[in-house]
Amino acid sequence: MIDIKEILSEQDLNDFFDHNADDLHVVKFGAEWCGPCKSLESRLKNIDSEKIGSTLFAEIDIAENDECEAISEKYGVTSIPCMIYFKNKDMADRSVGLVSLDDIYNRINKLSE
């Protein structure tokens, strides 16, 4: 099981990016009321840590508070679930909708090269 950090503010997100800044960071945007988001969360909890190396994960509930909503707007999140992959703090890839673990592994492998 991997650790998924909950992001509640811009400062939380900055701290997340600063932690092991050279590693790949993945942020899942979703909402408590979103069925596909809950399914994706369950999949993420079953990620094989050996297949993702040092990749770090976080999640943002876009409806949690105004800051979370502002973060989602900043990154152009218009549909959920959305996963944004960050390399060196820059957006490198994104997926929208319920994706498979294989898709997540493939994106991580591609960005880790």
Side-chain angles (χ1 to χ4, degrees):
M1 181 181 287
I2 63 167
D3 182 39
I4 302 173
K5 178 162 178 46
E6 183 179 20
I7 304 295
L8 298 173
S9 67
E10 187 76 38
Q11 184 60 52
D12 287 350
L13 186 61
N14 290 333
D15 291 346
F16 173 68
F17 287 144
D18 288 341
H19 183 72
N20 296 340
D22 294 335
D23 291 336
L24 187 62
H25 293 74
V26 181
V27 180
K28 177 187 80 73
F29 292 82
E32 181 65 31
W33 48 262
C34 170
C37 299
K38 289 181 181 182
S39 295
L40 182 57
E41 184 176 339
S42 294
R43 288 182 186 176
L44 291 177
K45 289 180 179 177
N46 291 313
I47 281 184
D48 182 345
S49 58
E50 291 182 17
K51 292 185 177 182
I52 61 166
S54 58
T55 302
L56 301 171
F57 285 82
E59 63 183 350
I60 297 175
D61 183 329
I62 64 168
E64 181 69 31
N65 60 43
D66 290 344
E67 274 194 81
C68 291
E69 185 177 337
I71 294 167
S72 66
E73 289 175 12
K74 175 181 176 178
Y75 291 107
V77 175
T78 56
S79 295
I80 55 173
C82 176
M83 290 182 40
I84 301 181
Y85 299 74
F86 293 87
K87 190 171 187 175
N88 300 321
K89 299 183 184 181
D90 294 323
M91 285 191 297
D93 198 359
R94 87 170 41 217
S95 62
V96 178
L98 184 57
V99 296
S100 68
L101 284 179
D102 284 339
D103 181 76
I104 295 167
Y105 295 142
N106 289 337
R107 290 173 191 269
I108 289 171
N109 287 333
K110 178 182 167 190
L111 293 170
S112 296
E113 294 177 344

